[in-house]
Amino acid sequence: MSVFRYSAPYRRTLPGRWPFLLLAAFVVASCLALPSVARAQDPGAAAVTGAGPLTVSIDGITGPKGMDSALKIVLMMTVLSLAPAFLILLTSFTRIVIVLGFLRQAIGTNSAPGNQIVIGLALFLTVVVMSPTFNRINQDAVQPFLSGDINQQEAFQRGSVPLKEFMLAQIREKDIQLFLDLTGVETPDTPQELPMLVVVPSFIIGELKTAFQMGFVLFIPFLIIDMVVASVLMSMGMMMLPPVLISLPFKILLFVLVDGWFLIVKSLVEAFH
């Protein structure tokens, strides 16, 4: 007796499947034979198969000078890809966008204004705040470099001076000392001699602290309105009615009456001067 047993329905249908199985085997064998046939017909296939290591070349670049130009292009593309991060971390954008986000949450309108409007307003305010610094960088570093009067290294050194002065005006001494200890850098004689490795992270955490302080101050008046509305609703026995739903119109009315956008924008811009 055979070890393999088929059920009656399967045994009846098995003979009818043999033509299909043979056809499938023929198709698979044909597909496997195509590459070998193509290599046999192509006289250059053997040469390609036994070719040496793959090399990549760039047209028009020969010698060290050409390679230096290629590296400059790669470096420029890298800087352009990192430009958004530089804009966020080395300018006033961080503080402004965080404060605007806190303001939207304090009022209770989580979707108004939208994210694009908040980020766009933060970008324009950043341009307003950083325009004196950008003008100095353009006059002292960018224009002399484009005219060929200075090289890249000197242009970077000149351009970093106004940016470092802007960041040093917002930095706390405690933050600078923290990163001096973390990086093992000796304390210089003047703040202008501090390396960017210390100045940039000190500026970032200082901006975060200031933004959270301003956000806390913004929350206080709107929090008082929420507490008053919640107390009134509780005294009236309306426990199931959400206080946020009732306090939202009053918070919007208060913000409009005091001309809140004018005060917020004025405070944000003047805080950097």
Side-chain angles (χ1 to χ4, degrees):
M1 182 181 295
S2 176
V3 178
F4 300 98
R5 298 179 180 178
Y6 302 103
S7 60
Y10 184 80
R11 187 169 58 250
R12 286 195 299 268
T13 58
L14 184 61
R17 293 187 179 183
W18 280 107
F20 297 100
L21 295 177
L22 292 175
L23 180 61
F26 177 76
V27 172
V28 172
S30 301
C31 295
L32 294 176
L34 284 177
S36 59
V37 174
R39 285 195 298 267
Q41 294 178 356
D42 189 2
V48 173
T49 306
L54 179 65
T55 58
V56 179
S57 61
I58 303 176
D59 295 338
I61 295 180
T62 56
K65 294 183 179 180
M67 185 59 63
D68 185 37
S69 302
L71 292 177
K72 289 180 181 178
I73 296 175
V74 173
L75 181 60
M76 183 180 298
M77 297 300 295
T78 304
V79 171
L80 291 177
S81 63
L82 296 177
F86 293 156
L87 177 63
I88 293 174
L89 298 179
L90 304 183
T91 61
S92 60
F93 180 83
T94 302
R95 182 193 303 185
I96 295 173
V97 75
I98 292 177
V99 171
L100 294 178
F102 273 125
L103 175 63
R104 186 172 60 179
Q105 293 181 2
I107 297 176
T109 56
N110 296 326
S111 59
N115 292 330
Q116 293 182 348
I117 298 177
V118 171
I119 295 175
L121 178 60
L123 286 174
F124 276 101
L125 293 180
T126 301
V127 173
V128 172
V129 173
M130 300 297 298
S131 57
T133 304
F134 290 158
N135 291 333
R136 288 186 55 189
I137 294 175
N138 183 44
Q139 295 176 2
D140 299 341
V142 177
Q143 294 302 325
F145 174 72
L146 294 178
S147 61
D149 298 335
I150 58 176
N151 54 18
Q152 295 179 357
Q153 183 176 2
E154 188 174 356
F156 176 78
Q157 293 177 355
R158 290 187 181 184
S160 62
V161 171
L163 190 60
K164 184 184 294 185
E165 292 179 356
F166 168 79
M167 290 188 289
L168 288 174
Q170 318 296 329
I171 294 177
R172 300 176 301 172
E173 295 182 2
K174 182 172 66 174
D175 298 334
I176 294 178
Q177 188 61 42
L178 170 64
F179 285 98
L180 285 175
D181 298 337
L182 293 177
T183 57
V185 178
E186 297 182 357
T187 304
D189 298 332
T190 59
Q192 287 73 18
E193 298 178 2
L194 288 169
M196 296 295 286
L197 183 63
V198 175
V199 175
V200 173
S202 302
F203 173 75
I204 294 172
I205 64 174
E207 289 295 287
L208 292 175
K209 180 179 182 297
T210 305
F212 274 74
Q213 289 177 344
M214 298 181 69
F216 172 76
V217 174
L218 287 174
F219 261 95
I220 293 177
F222 301 108
L223 180 61
I224 294 175
I225 296 177
D226 288 333
M227 294 175 62
V228 171
V229 172
S231 300
V232 172
L233 292 178
M234 187 177 297
S235 63
M236 296 175 61
M238 306 174 66
M239 304 292 295
M240 303 302 294
L241 186 62
V244 178
L245 184 63
I246 304 301
S247 62
L248 180 58
F250 293 99
K251 290 189 289 186
I252 295 176
L253 179 62
L254 173 64
F255 190 73
V256 172
L257 290 177
V258 300
D259 200 0
W261 288 113
F262 174 81
L263 295 177
I264 295 298
V265 171
K266 181 180 178 181
S267 301
L268 285 172
V269 175
E270 290 183 351
F272 291 97
H273 296 294

